[in-house]
């Protein structure tokens, strides 16, 4: 009989190093450059991959156990939400516009992040890096799945949820986050991790998740709050990975600094533009508001972001280009985009509405220098048109920015009454931009951005050929049902009827 020898228990650090560093080996019959062909062409120089401190330090075994426990709790709450008609506990049916936007625009971003991290987990040659990216990849697919499951219950009762995957690929406003992730995924591995791991997860994530999750909590949406909690502990790891990748690149070689700075400039601007959708959500779509977009930008952008870039100054990093322009724009962008979403809401898979007097009083208070002066008069005019029976619909197609893919609805820095528009001629074609920031991104890599897939021209392309009805079918939009003003919609009628029934039976 063999002797059973009890092995001494290893500490978490030793187990981790057994898990990671020892997985790597020196290849003997293939050149390293052939196995990892993508880590050089961006120009980033790495001398010692072992210097990458993996902030996750989780064994696969511990990871599965930990995540499985969270899943159990998550699905228990989601089941209870479905069984107890949780969809009636929300403040008002208008709130669902925020959640439809999230499902169509943000959850597919989680899935894109999953694909991207899986890819760079293969492309990076450091073992610690590979393991960290693999775990983040798994986190991201879990986020996509838990979000889709959490929101699927609303799909049983309300319109606008049914075709989120087609909406993600084809409708116009989803092209903003989709093109953001496509841009990152078609960059090299170091640019991807700077874009998603650092600019998005570290610098900007609080401006996305905090508003949506606290908006959900304020408006009685337990399903969304639950996936928010379930994702939160992952986010802490993702943020650490994002910061680590920046420090690693900057510490490995001084030649990396200008490349990293260029990416920070680009991804800060792209991220800020994408978050304009969140700004419109915070200021206009929540029946019970949390804070204004301007306040959120002040806390999470100016203060937290400012502190971060101060800290990174020791590496020679400066605040991203466009920082001051972005800070000033926080006064305006949510109103400018919402006015757009309202006038094109026959082409959205969610409802919009004209802010009430009460809503506008809140906006005046939150934007004392700008709302009454520039935006209230426009809403008043739109209201008059609606009252006269001729609601404002803009049947013209928006000029899209070739970089951020938002309609070019923004104004000149320092002059909120002048529309901002930039043009570039490149190889005989004219390209349009919403800002200097977006134009400069194009100019850095024109060969890349001339390939942008822009959603508006699809109305005239195969299979729609200019037929709006066909286009609606193609994007998964049921006209008169999923789109248009909330007032008079089926969602409004259903919500009011069910609420009445609920309080009558209570
Ligand atoms: Fe995520
Ligand atoms: Zn733009």
């Amino acid at each position: 009989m063999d002797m059973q020898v009890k092995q001494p228990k290893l500490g978490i650090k030793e187990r981790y190093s057994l898990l990671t560093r020892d997985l790597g080996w020196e290849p003997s019959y293939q050149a390293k450059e052939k196995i990892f062909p993508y880590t050089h062409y961006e120009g980033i120089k790495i001398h010692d991959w072992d210097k990458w401190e993996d902030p996750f330090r989780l064994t696969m075994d511990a990871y599965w156990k930990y995540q499985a426990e969270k899943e159990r709790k998550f699905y228990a709450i989601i089941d209870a939400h479905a069984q107890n008609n949780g969809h009636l506990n929300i403040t008002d049916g208008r709130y669902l516009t925020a959640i439809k936007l999230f499902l169509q625009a943000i959850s597919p971003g989680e899935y894109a992040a999953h694909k991207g991290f899986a890819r760079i987990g293969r492309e990076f040659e450091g073992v610690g890096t590979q393991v960290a990216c693999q775990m983040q990849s798994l986190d991201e697919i879990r986020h996509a799945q838990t979000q889709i499951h959490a929101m699927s219950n609303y799909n049983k009762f309300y319109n606008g949820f049914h075709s989120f995957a087609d909406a993600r690929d084809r409708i116009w406003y989803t092209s903003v986050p989709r093109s953001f992730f496509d841009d990152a995924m078609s960059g090299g591995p170091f640019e991807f991790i700077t874009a998603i791991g650092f600019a998005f997860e570290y610098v900007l994530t609080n401006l996305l998740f905090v508003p949506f999750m606290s908006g959900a909590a304020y408006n009685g949406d337990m399903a969304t709050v639950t996936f928010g909690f379930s994702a939160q502990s992952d986010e802490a790891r993702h943020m650490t990975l994002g910061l680590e990748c920046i420090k690693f690149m900057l510490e490995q070689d001084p030649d990396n600094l200008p490349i990293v700075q260029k990416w920070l400039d680009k991804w800060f601007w792209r991220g800020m533009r994408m978050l304009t959708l969140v700004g419109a959500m915070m200021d206009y779509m929540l029946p019970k508001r949390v804070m204004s977009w301007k306040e959120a930008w002040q806390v999470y952008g100016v203060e937290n972001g400012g502190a971060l870039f101060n800290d990174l100054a020791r590496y020679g990093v400066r605040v991203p280009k466009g920082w001051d322009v972005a800070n000033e724009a926080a006064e305006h962008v949510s109103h400018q985009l919402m006015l757009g979403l309202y006038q094109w809401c026959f082409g959205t898979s969610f409802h919009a509405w004209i802010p009430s007097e009460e809503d506008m009083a809140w906006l005046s208070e939150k934007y004392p220098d700008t709302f009454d002066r520039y935006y209230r008069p426009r809403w008043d005019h739109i209201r008059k048109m609606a009252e006269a029976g001729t609601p404002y619909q803009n049947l013209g197609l928006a000029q899209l920015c070739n970089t951020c893919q938002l309609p070019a609805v923004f104004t000149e820095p320092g002059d909120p009454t002048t529309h901002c528009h930039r043009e570039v001629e490149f190889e005989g074609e004219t390209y349009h931009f919403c800002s200097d920031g977006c134009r400069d991104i194009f100019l850095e890599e024109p060969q890349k951005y001339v390939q942008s897939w822009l959603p508006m021209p699809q109305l005239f392309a195969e299979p729609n050929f200019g037929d709006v009805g066909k286009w609606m079918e193609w994007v998964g939009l049921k006209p008169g049902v999923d789109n248009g003003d909330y007032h008079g919609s089926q969602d409004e009628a259903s919500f009011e009827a069910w609420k009445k029934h609920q309080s009558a039976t209570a």
Side-chain angles (χ1 to χ4, degrees):
M1 198 179 128
D2 289 338
M3 282 283 283
Q4 292 284 325
V5 181
K6 229 180 164 208
Q7 295 292 329
K9 225 175 173 224
L10 297 171
I12 185 135
K13 220 177 164 183
E14 288 162 298
R15 269 177 36 220
Y16 181 74
S17 104
L18 279 175
L19 175 79
T20 59
R21 297 309 191 259
D22 294 349
L23 283 175
W25 66 88
E26 284 304 314
S28 54
Y29 59 90
Q30 283 291 345
K32 247 192 165 159
E33 303 76 65
K34 281 177 92 179
I35 302 174
F36 302 107
Y38 298 112
T39 42
H40 301 285
Y41 79 95
E42 295 171 281
I44 294 289
K45 292 177 186 158
I46 303 299
H47 304 288
D48 183 0
W49 280 96
D50 281 342
K51 289 269 160 52
W52 178 290
E53 282 289 329
D54 172 15
F56 287 23
R57 276 202 203 93
L58 262 178
T59 63
M60 222 53 214
D61 181 47
Y63 176 82
W64 290 122
K65 273 188 198 145
Y66 190 59
Q67 300 298 66
E69 186 51 35
K70 287 200 298 188
E71 295 281 270
R72 265 193 294 278
K73 286 184 186 146
F74 170 78
Y75 283 102
I77 299 175
I78 290 300
D79 280 351
H81 173 83
Q83 281 162 24
N84 298 317
N85 285 326
H87 70 99
L88 291 179
N89 293 337
I90 55 171
T91 42
D92 185 307
R94 287 179 302 160
Y95 164 74
L96 295 166
T97 283
I99 287 309
K100 291 170 194 176
L101 183 62
F102 194 95
L103 181 64
Q104 294 159 19
I106 310 297
S107 302
E110 304 274 16
Y111 184 69
H114 152 71
K115 287 199 290 186
F117 275 99
R119 198 199 79 200
I120 63 169
R122 169 62 184 85
E123 290 179 354
F124 278 140
E125 51 188 272
V127 179
T129 331
Q130 291 168 351
V131 173
C133 291
Q134 182 193 8
M135 279 183 194
Q136 179 153 356
S137 175
L138 292 168
D139 288 343
E140 301 296 4
I141 198 166
R142 202 179 72 87
H143 294 175
Q145 289 169 341
T146 50
Q147 288 166 19
I148 292 164
H149 284 157
M151 294 183 212
S152 66
N153 190 51
Y154 292 116
N155 181 42
K156 294 185 198 154
F157 302 101
Y158 303 99
N159 300 315
F161 286 96
H162 56 90
S163 287
F164 78 92
D166 281 341
R168 181 264 179 190
D169 287 342
R170 296 173 177 177
I171 226 165
W172 53 283
Y173 49 93
T174 53
S175 211
V176 178
R178 187 185 50 72
S179 72
F180 179 96
F181 282 99
D182 285 354
D183 189 351
M185 285 201 285
S186 51
F190 287 108
E191 182 175 359
F192 177 85
I193 203 165
T194 306
I196 308 302
F198 182 71
F200 191 63
E201 295 274 4
Y202 199 93
V203 187
L204 301 168
T205 196
N206 282 329
L207 282 164
L208 177 76
F209 263 84
V210 177
F212 268 107
M213 297 314 134
S214 41
Y218 269 50
N219 289 281
D221 174 9
M222 275 316 289
T224 298
V225 171
T226 306
F227 79 61
F229 275 129
S230 183
Q232 206 169 40
S233 51
D234 301 337
E235 294 308 329
R237 277 185 285 120
H238 299 175
M239 289 175 79
T240 324
L241 178 61
L243 187 59
E244 183 55 37
C245 76
I246 291 293
K247 290 186 171 167
F248 177 67
M249 285 187 279
L250 295 171
E251 280 166 5
Q252 282 289 308
D253 199 292
D255 290 351
N256 293 340
L257 174 63
I259 305 174
V260 171
Q261 183 70 56
K262 194 179 72 189
W263 288 334
L264 292 178
D265 292 347
K266 167 179 169 181
W267 289 100
F268 165 75
W269 189 262
R270 286 221 64 173
M272 186 277 291
R273 271 297 187 245
M274 177 170 73
L275 290 173
T276 307
L277 285 166
V278 183
M281 185 283 288
M282 287 181 83
D283 283 343
Y284 287 91
M285 298 175 190
L286 296 177
K288 243 191 194 169
R289 292 172 166 94
V290 180
M291 57 164 85
S292 68
W293 174 246
K294 187 183 148 188
E295 287 169 319
W297 184 263
Q298 182 61 33
V299 175
Y300 300 115
V302 179
E303 287 166 25
N304 293 4
L308 169 70
F309 284 104
N310 269 340
D311 183 45
L312 289 175
R314 67 196 149 104
Y315 294 104
V317 168
R318 52 160 175 74
V319 291
K321 201 165 85 175
W323 180 259
D324 293 334
V325 178
N327 294 342
E328 188 218 313
E331 281 273 356
H332 302 281
V333 289
S334 66
H335 315 294
Q336 293 169 344
L337 180 61
M338 194 64 211
L339 281 155
L341 290 174
Y342 180 80
Q343 59 190 276
W344 289 300
C345 77
F346 55 89
T348 58
S349 196
F350 53 70
H351 298 296
W353 55 90
I354 301 166
S356 66
E357 274 310 316
E358 196 190 336
D359 293 335
M360 291 210 279
W362 185 87
L363 289 164
S364 302
E365 186 199 316
K366 294 296 180 184
Y367 294 90
D369 302 328
T370 46
F371 184 75
D372 286 351
R373 205 158 153 205
Y374 303 110
Y375 305 108
R376 183 189 281 271
R378 289 195 223 170
W379 285 117
D380 282 342
H381 182 69
I382 289 173
R383 174 189 310 284
K384 265 185 216 140
M385 289 177 77
E387 282 166 0
T390 51
Y392 181 35
Q393 287 199 337
N394 185 345
L395 296 171
L397 290 191
Q399 175 67 67
L400 296 180
C401 172
N402 202 85
T403 299
C404 71
Q405 307 216 357
L406 279 159
V409 293
F410 306 108
T411 47
E412 288 290 346
D415 180 6
T417 58
T418 304
H419 180 237
C420 186
H421 175 236
R422 301 286 181 269
E423 277 182 18
V424 170
E425 294 280 332
F426 184 77
E427 292 179 346
E429 289 276 344
T430 307
Y431 296 88
H432 304 269
F433 305 93
C434 73
S435 55
D436 292 329
C438 282
R439 180 201 55 197
D440 292 352
I441 291 169
F442 177 94
L443 289 174
E444 281 286 339
E445 294 171 275
Q447 303 288 4
K448 178 174 188 174
Y449 293 101
V450 295
Q451 302 170 62
S452 295
W453 184 96
L454 290 166
M456 291 293 175
Q458 300 309 313
L459 175 57
F460 301 102
E462 206 199 332
N464 305 307
F465 301 115
D467 181 333
V468 178
K470 266 217 176 109
W471 176 82
M472 290 211 179
E473 203 178 301
W474 182 71
V475 299
L477 197 54
K478 290 196 206 110
V481 178
D482 297 322
N483 52 1
D485 200 303
Y486 178 72
H487 298 292
S489 70
Q490 203 178 61
D491 272 3
E492 182 191 42
S494 304
F495 184 78
E496 298 306 326
W498 293 329
K499 279 304 266 190
K500 222 184 244 164
H501 180 73
Q502 191 189 36
S503 50
T505 52

